[in-house]
Amino acid sequence: MAEIDTSKDVYLFLHGRMDLKEKAMNALTAKGFAADKVTMALPNKVGNVGDYMAMMWMPPNPDHIKIQQITKVEEVEPEGMIGLWKGVAKDDIESIPLE
């Protein structure tokens, strides 16, 4: 697993499961991420190279959070709910169980 830089921003994708937000935040902070570095992902604002995506996985009934590091950000025309994230390339680096 890659070394996680907990000073970087984290974009949290709940895939419509707002009921799991607190559980996801608890799992991320237990892993070492600062709560003030975790932002709800929005379709009109993407992170930067080196930032992280925390993806509730696998929808619709996630049992873990997939941590991905952003490796590339390209300008794209927004598309549906994915929006500008369509232009983001990322690598899976870790998985955190939801407890």
Side-chain angles (χ1 to χ4, degrees), residues 45 58 63:
K45 181 184 184 306
M58 168 141 215
D63 63 359

Side-chain angles (χ1 to χ4, degrees), residues 3-5 17 27 36 40 46 50 54 57 60 77 79 91 99:
E3 184 73 25
I4 292 178
D5 181 352
R17 293 296 306 267
D36 65 342
M40 294 300 297
V46 299
W57 206 252
E77 284 296 315
E79 185 176 294
D91 287 335
E99 298 182 19

Side-chain angles (χ1 to χ4, degrees), residues 27-49:
L28 291 169
T29 55
K31 187 67 180 168
F33 290 104
D36 65 342
K37 289 289 192 177
V38 180
T39 304
M40 294 300 297
L42 299 171
N44 60 347
K45 181 184 184 306
V46 299
N48 299 304
V49 170

Side-chain angles (χ1 to χ4, degrees), residues 27-83:
L28 291 169
T29 55
K31 187 67 180 168
F33 290 104
D36 65 342
K37 289 289 192 177
V38 180
T39 304
M40 294 300 297
L42 299 171
N44 60 347
K45 181 184 184 306
V46 299
N48 299 304
V49 170
D51 289 344
Y52 298 100
M53 297 167 60
M55 185 106 34
M56 300 293 284
W57 206 252
M58 168 141 215
N61 297 308
D63 63 359
H64 67 281
I65 302 172
K66 187 164 48 167
I67 305 294
Q68 301 170 305
Q69 188 165 36
I70 298 172
T71 58
K72 187 176 184 182
V73 179
E74 296 180 339
E75 280 192 41
V76 294
E77 284 296 315
E79 185 176 294
M81 289 194 63
I82 199 167

